[in-house]
Structure formats: C-alpha cells, structure tokens
Amino acid sequence: MASSVIERLRQDRAAHLEELSAFLKIPSISSISEHKEDIRAAAEWLKQAFLQAKMEKVEIIETKKHPIVYAEWLDAGPEAKTILIYGHYDVQPVDPLHLWETEPFEPTVRDGKLYARGASDDKGQVFMHLKAVQTMLEVEGTLPFNVKFLIEGEEEIGSPNLDEFVANEKERLAADVLLISDTTMLEAGKPAICSGLRGIAALEIRVKGAKGDLHSGLYGGAVQNALHALVQLLASMRDENGKITIDGFYEGIEIPSAEEMESIKALGSGEEALKEELGVNELFGEKGYTARERTWIRPTLELNGVYGGFQGEGVKTVIPAEATAKITCRLVPGQDPIDILEKIEAHIQAHTPPGVTVTTERHDTGKPFVAPVTDPVFAACARAYEEVYQTEVAYTRMGGSIPVVETFDSQLHIPIVLMGFGLPSENFHAPNEHFHLENFDKGMETIVAFWNQYANR
C-alpha cells in the first residue's frame, strides 16, 4: 500500500541522499568538451541505478553528441496505464567559481538544503522518480502502471539530437501521459502545475576591428574600438523601458485567454517579495506588465555575457580589436526561434557601427509550449500535491525553457504534466545551486500519490 511505500522512503532517506550525492559529484557539463567523459560517467551511473531499481530494460543510446539513458518496466500489462518520465542528467557550467560557498561538485547539506550543481536542475528531480519507482517495486513487488524513463544528456545545450530521436522512436515512447519534473513550485509551500514554457533562441556576436589590440594613446580617436562598437550595437536592441527594438520581434505573439490572465492576477504580483529575495530596490521590465506576466507570457532579449579587451588587475591602455556578446531570447507562443534569430541578424547588419565587421554564431533553439490543463490527469496531479502539501495547487506558466517539450507535444500527442519540486530561488544556472530537502521528501510522496491516483482512476 502507498503508506508502506511512504514509510520505506522515510526510512531510506539518508541512503537516498548519499546516492544522490554520488550522482551530483559527476561534473556532467554538456556544453564544455573537456567534460565529455564526465557526461559518459553520469549516463553509466544512471544505467546502474536503473538496473538496481529492477527496470526490465535499460539502455545507453548513442547520439551525435551525448547519450540518452532509456529504461522501462512494462509488467503491468497492455491494459494498464503507461507513464513516460523525461528528465536530463547534464548540468550547466559553474562559472564564476569564486562565488560558490562550497565546491559545486562536492554536495553539501546546510540549513535544510542540498548544495551542488544539478541538485535542483535536474539531477535531484530525476533521482526522485527513480527512487520512487524502486521503492514501490521493493515494497509492493509490482506497479499498478507501466513506466518508461527517457533521460538525456543535452538539455542544457538545447537538446540538439532529441527531436530526431523522439520522431523516430514514437512506438518505443508510446504512453498515456508524459511526466516531467524540471519546473518550479510557485513558492515555498505552494505547489504548482505548469501549463506553459517559453522557447529559446541563442546567439553569439563577435565584433572585429583592427588586426590587433592598439595602444590607446597612439591610436585613440583615430580607429574604432571593438568594445564601443559592440556596446552601441547592443544598446540598439532594447529601449530604456525594456521594450525590444528588433524589427518584427513581437509579430504574431498569441495573447493568453482572459481566463488565464485572471488566474495569473489572482496569484498576486509577488513583486515586493521578489525584490527582497533578489536584493534589488526596483524591478525592471516591459512596461504595462507585472513581473509574473513578464516572465511567463512575454518574450525577452537578455545579455548573458559581454567581454573583450583587458580583464586583469589594474589598467592596460589598449583599444580592443575584438569583443564578444552572448544573447538569449526567451520566446512565447506565436514566435519561432529561427525567425527570431534571422530578425536579430538583420538588425545587426543594419546597425553595425563603422570601422568593424560583425559575425554571428547561432546556438540553442527551442519552441515555446503551452497546453490546456483540462485532461483528468491534471486533476489527479493536483489532488496528489494537495494531499501532501495540504494547500491548493496553483496553475502557472514558467519563464524557463525545456526545448524538447514542444517536440513531445507534436510527436506523441499525449498530455504533458509539468510537475516540479524546485523553487525559483534555488539558483539553478547560478552559483550556489541548491534543493530544499523538504521538497525532496514531500516531492517523492507526491509522486507516489499521483502515480497511484492516476493508475487506479
């Protein structure tokens, strides 16, 4: 019975945290080539963990870059519900390292939180599903549903090889529902079911001036400075009120329904709490929208890195010959990432300052996703959350991106439940990423409750 499973989960908590820590110690950074073997090690770790969990079939599936880990248990039979669980084992880079209070790949528990890169995004949440399944099988000897796991190693670089895999493996991935835990709750103690994700379009801009760095006294005032040119170019992309000035950037955006807008407003702005959490005296963004609306239903253009010239201690009087910027746009329904990249490139061509040449390199792309939450599976998910957290669940969108979700939607045609247990304040993608252990504990109990409710309805 479910109560016996919950009791076992509580008994095994220390062992589970020790196992999760071993997983988190693997620096599986997908974007940096020197970590290729670490990615492989993380995939092998997962394979062994799934075998330990008594999955019937476990495979490491090669792609053009990093492998996929697939596992399944189908003994419930063809009449039972089948749940497909997606997640990722790759993580973001850790820079800037000096801002971490403890080593990013040496998991540390303090103040009820587990600190490590990947603790919340997404190794910790993947691990919860794995251990929930394993515990149910150990305690009950069986499951009331079939389960499939698809865990990839490229999510943090835009899942470049997963679209093709999903399109080619629709029979293997056939299921009644897709469950993803890679989103956040609304706030501490307030669970949320996410109905939408923003898409992403990433671009790197390189500005080239003179053939090399120049003495700023000998040449200053006679030649273009690559950093000045880059700053001028970047400033042309957004006005002082946060509106993006790329021609056609907002064309075709789908406006949420009046009902959804009212539900967002009913959650309150949360802006005072957000300012306190972030340590800022004022929020900033597109005029006419609240902070929640800006992060859930409006697109963005953000600078993720700008660099060039002398970076060391003190002063070096040079005119930099090169400068670089990295940009990501978060996109909403009605926007296409390739179209947006083309528009940014056209803007760059039209606004390049004299005396420099500009080249671009495209990176991650992913389409936005939004879905209705009318299928009965969402009601089962809400009941499970409310049973464990003892509070009403919120229905939200999330400002982040999971690029392959739109692909799952278009290829598999099944309900997609975004059932996250992270908190927005947990520093994923930033120094000192962590996972609140309260949600690690309650999350596994919620997962078990949801699976039982869904399988037996």
Side-chain angles (χ1 to χ4, degrees):
M1 301 299 290
S3 59
S4 301
V5 173
I6 300 305
E7 183 178 349
R8 173 68 71 83
L9 284 170
R10 292 172 179 173
Q11 290 173 354
D12 291 347
R13 183 185 192 254
H16 288 164
L17 285 178
E18 187 174 341
E19 289 180 63
L20 175 56
S21 293
F23 190 23
L24 293 170
K25 286 182 178 181
I26 304 171
S28 50
I29 303 171
S30 53
S31 62
I32 300 177
S33 58
E34 68 187 58
H35 287 284
K36 182 177 180 180
E37 292 306 312
D38 296 315
I39 285 279
R40 173 69 55 179
E44 292 287 351
W45 190 96
L46 269 177
K47 177 182 177 180
Q48 294 305 314
F50 281 125
L51 290 171
Q52 182 183 341
K54 307 302 181 186
M55 294 294 99
E56 296 174 319
K57 181 179 182 181
V58 183
E59 293 181 73
I60 292 181
I61 301 169
E62 302 300 330
T63 75
K64 295 173 185 176
K65 194 169 181 69
H66 299 314
I68 294 165
V69 182
Y70 176 82
E72 65 181 33
W73 186 94
L74 305 179
D75 276 1
E79 301 303 316
K81 299 288 186 183
T82 298
I83 300 172
L84 173 63
I85 298 166
Y86 163 81
H88 64 94
Y89 65 86
D90 64 321
V91 300
Q92 283 276 332
V94 298
D95 312 73
L97 186 59
H98 71 277
L99 294 180
W100 285 80
E101 295 180 21
T102 51
E103 291 295 319
F105 296 109
E106 290 295 334
T108 304
V109 175
R110 59 180 187 272
D111 302 322
K113 305 166 192 173
L114 175 62
Y115 284 80
R117 174 59 88 228
S120 182
D121 181 21
D122 182 40
K123 286 181 177 178
Q125 299 197 63
V126 166
F127 182 85
M128 290 161 65
H129 287 278
L130 192 163
K131 287 301 164 182
V133 163
Q134 180 176 344
T135 304
M136 289 181 76
L137 282 170
E138 288 176 351
V139 172
E140 300 180 352
T142 188
L143 301 173
F145 54 87
N146 300 305
V147 65
K148 301 175 180 180
F149 286 87
L150 176 64
I151 314 298
E152 68 157 321
E154 298 182 344
E155 195 273 344
E156 298 293 7
I157 55 172
S159 303
N161 295 298
L162 200 56
D163 285 358
E164 181 180 1
F165 178 81
V166 173
N168 292 338
E169 297 286 348
K170 286 184 278 191
E171 184 174 348
R172 181 205 292 254
L173 301 177
D176 296 290
V177 64
L178 171 62
L179 179 58
I180 301 174
S181 292
D182 192 16
T183 54
T184 64
M185 308 204 318
L186 183 65
E187 58 190 38
K190 184 68 172 178
I193 297 172
C194 182
S195 65
L197 299 161
R198 291 193 290 190
I200 190 170
L203 189 73
E204 188 166 352
I205 303 171
R206 297 188 182 96
V207 176
K208 181 73 170 68
K211 63 182 180 181
D213 288 356
L214 301 173
H215 189 292
S216 66
L218 295 178
Y219 296 96
V223 67
Q224 179 67 275
N225 182 313
L227 270 174
H228 281 296
L230 177 61
V231 169
Q232 181 180 332
L233 180 58
L234 297 176
S236 73
M237 296 182 180
R238 202 171 74 169
D239 70 16
E240 66 276 9
N241 296 314
K243 183 178 180 181
I244 297 159
T245 53
I246 307 293
D247 190 34
F249 188 87
Y250 295 100
E251 285 180 359
I253 287 177
E254 298 173 11
I255 305 301
S257 68
E259 181 182 13
E260 184 175 8
M261 292 300 295
E262 283 301 315
S263 70
I264 293 173
K265 285 182 170 56
L267 295 173
S269 74
E271 294 188 356
E272 289 304 317
L274 183 59
K275 286 192 288 187
E276 183 177 351
E277 173 195 325
L278 300 179
V280 297
N281 58 18
E282 190 173 352
L283 300 176
F284 176 82
E286 188 181 0
K287 284 192 176 298
Y289 298 92
T290 66
R292 280 208 174 106
E293 290 167 346
R294 291 173 193 150
T295 54
W296 291 357
I297 64 170
R298 298 299 293 171
T300 66
L301 185 152
E302 297 288 354
L303 304 180
N304 308 125
V306 178
Y307 50 95
F310 179 62
Q311 305 288 315
E313 184 179 355
V315 174
K316 183 180 182 183
T317 53
V318 295
I319 298 171
E322 298 181 358
T324 304
K326 297 177 186 287
I327 289 175
T328 51
C329 298
R330 299 291 176 166
L331 309 179
V332 297
Q335 292 181 301
D336 178 81
I338 302 302
D339 176 64
I340 290 297
L341 289 174
E342 289 174 352
K343 286 172 176 173
I344 295 173
E345 289 166 345
H347 180 95
I348 290 169
Q349 186 174 0
H351 291 80
T352 296
V356 295
T357 57
V358 179
T359 58
T360 60
E361 181 181 356
R362 298 180 183 184
H363 291 288
D364 302 9
T365 59
K367 293 182 179 180
F369 165 78
V370 66
V373 291
T374 53
D375 189 281
V377 68
F378 292 97
C381 179
R383 288 194 300 272
Y385 266 130
E386 290 166 1
E387 174 186 321
V388 175
Y389 282 87
Q390 293 295 297
T391 188
E392 184 178 0
V393 73
Y395 288 86
T396 68
R397 293 197 195 185
M398 194 180 86
S401 307
I402 306 176
V404 77
V405 171
E406 192 275 339
T407 302
F408 283 130
D409 185 46
S410 63
Q411 295 291 334
L412 302 185
H413 306 292
I414 57 176
I416 299 175
V417 180
L418 299 169
M419 182 184 192
F421 300 97
L423 293 178
S425 60
E426 287 179 337
N427 288 12
F428 26 85
H429 293 205
N432 301 309
E433 179 181 350
H434 56 277
F435 192 22
H436 284 69
L437 294 180
E438 176 186 13
N439 294 324
F440 177 78
D441 299 331
K442 288 185 175 180
M444 280 199 278
E445 295 183 18
T446 303
I447 288 166
V448 171
F450 168 59
W451 286 344
N452 280 312
Q453 288 203 34
Y454 176 66
N456 296 317
R457 67 183 174 90

